[in-house]
Amino acid sequence: MNIVCLDMEGVLVPEIWIAFSEASGIPELRRTTRDEPDYNKLMNFRLGILKEHNLGLKEIQATIAKIDPLPGAKEFLDELRATTQVLILSDTFEQFAKPLMEKLGWPAIFCNTLEVADSGEITGFKMRCKQSKLTTVKALQSIGYETIAAGDSFNDLGMIQASKAGFLFKSTEQIKKDYPELPAYEEFGDLLAAIKAAL
């Protein structure tokens, strides 16, 4: 039994925080897991900036409403889901992911949740588990699945390396250089072919 585990942001949809950085005019919010391997540090940095600028969930969701999946992402996902089981593993949050999952045809997603005050201020975040992508892949393997994984950032490397086949997709030049043993693709058609060959 195979299951394909995919990252969401940068792979299927644009980076939410980069889009919000552009919409809000706050360049510091462009930092993502491609730049900062420590996710807790990154999120606490983001929450500090939101508080400083008096921005909350409503403003971020207004930006997310305008985000469309990357060109070809839904077709890629549809074809993949017709072939095998697919699970999106993301460090994003339920409050961000829902409208994007609707645009992708409601694939299954495991992600985290934000703590939001009645005022709409994001006061914190709750991670599903430590190293959620790697932990989830290992859990799937423990119940009889063989995993195939693809992602673009530092926080995807664990699940990619722990899987029977793993791929970088639309990653950075630095990550590709640091991990030359991982096949790297830029086009959905190439990634689809590689995953199908690994099934």
Side-chain angles (χ1 to χ4, degrees), residues 16-29:
I16 290 167
W17 287 97
I18 290 177
F20 187 61
S21 164
E22 288 167 3
S24 63
I26 303 170
E28 297 91 334
L29 288 174

PDB file of all heavy atoms in Angstrom, residues 16-29:
ATOM      1  N   ILE A  16       1.623  31.481   1.428  1.00  0.00           N
ATOM      2  CA  ILE A  16       0.631  32.388   2.010  1.00  0.00           C
ATOM      3  C   ILE A  16       1.295  33.621   2.621  1.00  0.00           C
ATOM      4  O   ILE A  16       0.848  34.752   2.415  1.00  0.00           O
ATOM      5  CB  ILE A  16      -0.205  31.643   3.079  1.00  0.00           C
ATOM      6  CG1 ILE A  16      -1.130  30.620   2.386  1.00  0.00           C
ATOM      7  CG2 ILE A  16      -1.017  32.618   3.934  1.00  0.00           C
ATOM      8  CD1 ILE A  16      -1.773  29.623   3.335  1.00  0.00           C
ATOM      9  N   TRP A  17       2.377  33.422   3.359  1.00  0.00           N
ATOM     10  CA  TRP A  17       2.992  34.555   4.056  1.00  0.00           C
ATOM     11  C   TRP A  17       3.652  35.532   3.075  1.00  0.00           C
ATOM     12  O   TRP A  17       3.686  36.735   3.337  1.00  0.00           O
ATOM     13  CB  TRP A  17       3.990  34.075   5.103  1.00  0.00           C
ATOM     14  CG  TRP A  17       3.279  33.478   6.282  1.00  0.00           C
ATOM     15  CD1 TRP A  17       3.034  32.147   6.503  1.00  0.00           C
ATOM     16  CD2 TRP A  17       2.682  34.173   7.388  1.00  0.00           C
ATOM     17  NE1 TRP A  17       2.339  31.985   7.680  1.00  0.00           N
ATOM     18  CE2 TRP A  17       2.108  33.194   8.236  1.00  0.00           C
ATOM     19  CE3 TRP A  17       2.590  35.513   7.739  1.00  0.00           C
ATOM     20  CZ2 TRP A  17       1.444  33.540   9.420  1.00  0.00           C
ATOM     21  CZ3 TRP A  17       1.931  35.854   8.916  1.00  0.00           C
ATOM     22  CH2 TRP A  17       1.367  34.884   9.747  1.00  0.00           C
ATOM     23  N   ILE A  18       4.154  35.022   1.958  1.00  0.00           N
ATOM     24  CA  ILE A  18       4.721  35.926   0.948  1.00  0.00           C
ATOM     25  C   ILE A  18       3.594  36.768   0.333  1.00  0.00           C
ATOM     26  O   ILE A  18       3.727  37.983   0.163  1.00  0.00           O
ATOM     27  CB  ILE A  18       5.509  35.146  -0.126  1.00  0.00           C
ATOM     28  CG1 ILE A  18       6.798  34.581   0.495  1.00  0.00           C
ATOM     29  CG2 ILE A  18       5.828  36.029  -1.330  1.00  0.00           C
ATOM     30  CD1 ILE A  18       7.634  33.726  -0.445  1.00  0.00           C
ATOM     31  N   ALA A  19       2.471  36.117   0.047  1.00  0.00           N
ATOM     32  CA  ALA A  19       1.316  36.847  -0.502  1.00  0.00           C
ATOM     33  C   ALA A  19       0.841  37.910   0.492  1.00  0.00           C
ATOM     34  O   ALA A  19       0.525  39.045   0.110  1.00  0.00           O
ATOM     35  CB  ALA A  19       0.181  35.881  -0.829  1.00  0.00           C
ATOM     36  N   PHE A  20       0.824  37.555   1.778  1.00  0.00           N
ATOM     37  CA  PHE A  20       0.367  38.519   2.792  1.00  0.00           C
ATOM     38  C   PHE A  20       1.396  39.635   2.990  1.00  0.00           C
ATOM     39  O   PHE A  20       1.026  40.792   3.221  1.00  0.00           O
ATOM     40  CB  PHE A  20       0.069  37.813   4.118  1.00  0.00           C
ATOM     41  CG  PHE A  20      -0.565  38.732   5.126  1.00  0.00           C
ATOM     42  CD1 PHE A  20      -1.785  39.328   4.863  1.00  0.00           C
ATOM     43  CD2 PHE A  20       0.068  39.015   6.323  1.00  0.00           C
ATOM     44  CE1 PHE A  20      -2.373  40.200   5.779  1.00  0.00           C
ATOM     45  CE2 PHE A  20      -0.506  39.889   7.244  1.00  0.00           C
ATOM     46  CZ  PHE A  20      -1.734  40.482   6.973  1.00  0.00           C
ATOM     47  N   SER A  21       2.660  39.310   2.857  1.00  0.00           N
ATOM     48  CA  SER A  21       3.715  40.325   2.931  1.00  0.00           C
ATOM     49  C   SER A  21       3.505  41.373   1.839  1.00  0.00           C
ATOM     50  O   SER A  21       3.596  42.582   2.089  1.00  0.00           O
ATOM     51  CB  SER A  21       5.090  39.657   2.766  1.00  0.00           C
ATOM     52  OG  SER A  21       6.079  40.608   2.479  1.00  0.00           O
ATOM     53  N   GLU A  22       3.197  40.889   0.636  1.00  0.00           N
ATOM     54  CA  GLU A  22       2.975  41.806  -0.491  1.00  0.00           C
ATOM     55  C   GLU A  22       1.702  42.633  -0.279  1.00  0.00           C
ATOM     56  O   GLU A  22       1.679  43.833  -0.515  1.00  0.00           O
ATOM     57  CB  GLU A  22       2.926  41.023  -1.801  1.00  0.00           C
ATOM     58  CG  GLU A  22       4.319  40.512  -2.186  1.00  0.00           C
ATOM     59  CD  GLU A  22       4.311  39.467  -3.297  1.00  0.00           C
ATOM     60  OE1 GLU A  22       3.225  39.164  -3.827  1.00  0.00           O
ATOM     61  OE2 GLU A  22       5.400  38.958  -3.614  1.00  0.00           O
ATOM     62  N   ALA A  23       0.634  41.967   0.216  1.00  0.00           N
ATOM     63  CA  ALA A  23      -0.639  42.662   0.413  1.00  0.00           C
ATOM     64  C   ALA A  23      -0.550  43.711   1.526  1.00  0.00           C
ATOM     65  O   ALA A  23      -1.164  44.772   1.438  1.00  0.00           O
ATOM     66  CB  ALA A  23      -1.740  41.656   0.738  1.00  0.00           C
ATOM     67  N   SER A  24       0.236  43.406   2.559  1.00  0.00           N
ATOM     68  CA  SER A  24       0.321  44.307   3.722  1.00  0.00           C
ATOM     69  C   SER A  24       1.462  45.311   3.606  1.00  0.00           C
ATOM     70  O   SER A  24       1.528  46.268   4.380  1.00  0.00           O
ATOM     71  CB  SER A  24       0.514  43.480   4.998  1.00  0.00           C
ATOM     72  OG  SER A  24       1.753  42.772   4.953  1.00  0.00           O
ATOM     73  N   GLY A  25       2.380  45.071   2.655  1.00  0.00           N
ATOM     74  CA  GLY A  25       3.529  45.948   2.513  1.00  0.00           C
ATOM     75  C   GLY A  25       4.561  45.790   3.631  1.00  0.00           C
ATOM     76  O   GLY A  25       5.314  46.720   3.924  1.00  0.00           O
ATOM     77  N   ILE A  26       4.580  44.599   4.260  1.00  0.00           N
ATOM     78  CA  ILE A  26       5.541  44.342   5.349  1.00  0.00           C
ATOM     79  C   ILE A  26       6.566  43.309   4.859  1.00  0.00           C
ATOM     80  O   ILE A  26       6.298  42.106   4.856  1.00  0.00           O
ATOM     81  CB  ILE A  26       4.822  43.821   6.611  1.00  0.00           C
ATOM     82  CG1 ILE A  26       3.740  44.819   7.056  1.00  0.00           C
ATOM     83  CG2 ILE A  26       5.834  43.581   7.751  1.00  0.00           C
ATOM     84  CD1 ILE A  26       2.820  44.287   8.138  1.00  0.00           C
ATOM     85  N   PRO A  27       7.740  43.762   4.414  1.00  0.00           N
ATOM     86  CA  PRO A  27       8.702  42.837   3.797  1.00  0.00           C
ATOM     87  C   PRO A  27       9.192  41.728   4.724  1.00  0.00           C
ATOM     88  O   PRO A  27       9.504  40.634   4.273  1.00  0.00           O
ATOM     89  CB  PRO A  27       9.856  43.750   3.358  1.00  0.00           C
ATOM     90  CG  PRO A  27       9.659  45.049   4.057  1.00  0.00           C
ATOM     91  CD  PRO A  27       8.209  45.159   4.394  1.00  0.00           C
ATOM     92  N   GLU A  28       9.222  41.996   6.048  1.00  0.00           N
ATOM     93  CA  GLU A  28       9.721  40.977   6.989  1.00  0.00           C
ATOM     94  C   GLU A  28       8.882  39.698   6.951  1.00  0.00           C
ATOM     95  O   GLU A  28       9.368  38.619   7.284  1.00  0.00           O
ATOM     96  CB  GLU A  28       9.726  41.515   8.437  1.00  0.00           C
ATOM     97  CG  GLU A  28      10.653  42.684   8.656  1.00  0.00           C
ATOM     98  CD  GLU A  28       9.976  44.038   8.440  1.00  0.00           C
ATOM     99  OE1 GLU A  28       8.991  44.112   7.687  1.00  0.00           O
ATOM    100  OE2 GLU A  28      10.459  45.007   9.014  1.00  0.00           O
ATOM    101  N   LEU A  29       7.622  39.807   6.551  1.00  0.00           N
ATOM    102  CA  LEU A  29       6.734  38.636   6.529  1.00  0.00           C
ATOM    103  C   LEU A  29       7.015  37.708   5.342  1.00  0.00           C
ATOM    104  O   LEU A  29       6.385  36.667   5.212  1.00  0.00           O
ATOM    105  CB  LEU A  29       5.263  39.071   6.529  1.00  0.00           C
ATOM    106  CG  LEU A  29       4.759  39.655   7.859  1.00  0.00           C
ATOM    107  CD1 LEU A  29       3.344  40.174   7.704  1.00  0.00           C
ATOM    108  CD2 LEU A  29       4.835  38.625   8.984  1.00  0.00           C
TER     109      LEU A  29
END
